[in-house]
Amino acid sequence: MLGTGSWGTTFGKILADGGASVTMWARRPEIAAEISRTHRNSDYLPGITLPVGLSATSDLKAALAGASHVFVAVPSQTLRDNLEAVRPLLAPGAVVVSLMKGVEKGSGLRMSEVIVESLGIDPDRVAVASGPNLALEIAREQPTAAVISSSRLETAQSVAMLARNRYFRSFVNTDVIGTEFGGVLKNLIAVAIGIVDGVGYGENTKASIITRGLVEMTDFAVARGAKAETLSGLAGLGDLIATCQSPLSRNNTAGRLLGQGYSFQAVVKQMQQTAEGLASVAPVLELAREIGVEMPIVQQVKQVLDGTLDPRDIAPHLTTDSDEPQGERTGDDSEATSGGSLRRAFKRAFDQLRNGGRSALGD
Ligand SMILES: NC(=O)C1=CN([C@@H]2O[C@H](COP(=O)(O)OP(=O)(O)OC[C@H]3O[C@@H](n4cnc5c(N)ncnc54)[C@H](O)[C@@H]3O)[C@@H](O)[C@H]2O)C=CC1
Ligand SMILES: O=C(CO)COP(=O)(O)O
């Protein structure tokens, strides 16, 4: 496991509690020492005792030696630099799993794309994990589900077999684009929710933004090649709900501070942990512009971050977008997915027939 922040450490615990032998790589030797000696990571997971099957080192070579699966949970903007050191040390045939929920500034690449490019490995050896996975809740062993996705189903399955235990269940799919973008985009909507929370608006405003936000997420992801149904699953709607309603979410928290009137610089200074949404706004809007998808909520988050929009005005498009009443277009009836429900029903029936009456494995 590369990264001993809140998610890397929690995922290491998930794997070790499922029976795997886990070596964590920590950038800071003092964190590696604390994990190995006391089975604690008090900066990131206060009050949590880590399993004995989990140890840590700050020696990257030792951490990667003979590893069949390498999980990565560092801040997205540091991934490329970190992988430079990993490349010569990766065991032949090792599967690399991204736990991250950001896109790279400048290139706009998803984390799995950065992994393929930087390590020069086949996409079939890369998987991503996503879903409603607030680290501290899982570290407290509260029952949770996630999705593991890879272009090769067997790769996703091998990871899902490792990432399962009595409190954690992994489903699989092969829609890497949808699974990754679900995690990236829900962060941006969670920032918007935090902002209106900070302003003092109530549940109607938040439910309106979550619902319209899901349409924005689906439009964007489908235009980038995702399957619409992935955005209705754990990696889309599931994660959107968890992140938008939890004070544990760092993106939500960052938004709340903005809504309370703190500047972007002040918020960045206050955040002790990674809030990926803050760095993803600009590259996501650039990608949206390239494919001609409108993202009014994300656009307004950017304006608040830039200091050009008063947080109290963040949702005017919900009420004053147009003089003409508009039809409510949901993710399910967007052009990209028209007939989606019917097609899905047929596909489910077909999959069940193919599986001898059992439902197909997957989220
Ligand atoms: N915390 C959570 O609940 C979840 C987080 N994620 C994703 O996991 C990824 C990692 O996030 P967290 O662990 O939560 O962040 P965190 O802020 O808790 O920890 C980040 C870790 O990366 C290390 N780090 C910082 N700069 C680095 C660098 N240049 N090179 C190497 N390591 C560096 C930090 O020392 C720390 O150990 C993010 O993409 C996040 O979106 C995904 C699901 C859940
Ligand atoms: O991705 C997460 C939950 O699934 C964590 O969200 P935050 O990064 O906003 O804390």
Side-chain angles (χ1 to χ4, degrees), residues 212 294 296 300 315-327:
R212 300 311 305 160
E294 293 205 4
Q300 290 188 330
H317 69 281
L318 293 173
T319 51
T320 58
D321 197 26
S322 157
D323 292 339
E324 297 290 320
Q326 297 179 359

Side-chain angles (χ1 to χ4, degrees), residues 101 131-134 186-187 239 243 248-251 274:
K101 294 179 177 171
N133 294 163
L134 295 155
K186 64 84 195 179
N187 281 340
D239 203 0
T243 314
L248 287 178
S249 158
R250 287 84 43 93
N251 288 291
T274 312

Side-chain angles (χ1 to χ4, degrees), residues 5-7 27 44 75 78 82 100-101 133 135 250 274 276:
S6 46
W7 190 219
R27 191 173 49 132
Y44 290 99
T78 76
N82 276 298
M100 297 159 285
K101 294 179 177 171
N133 294 163
R250 287 84 43 93
T274 312
E276 292 281 16

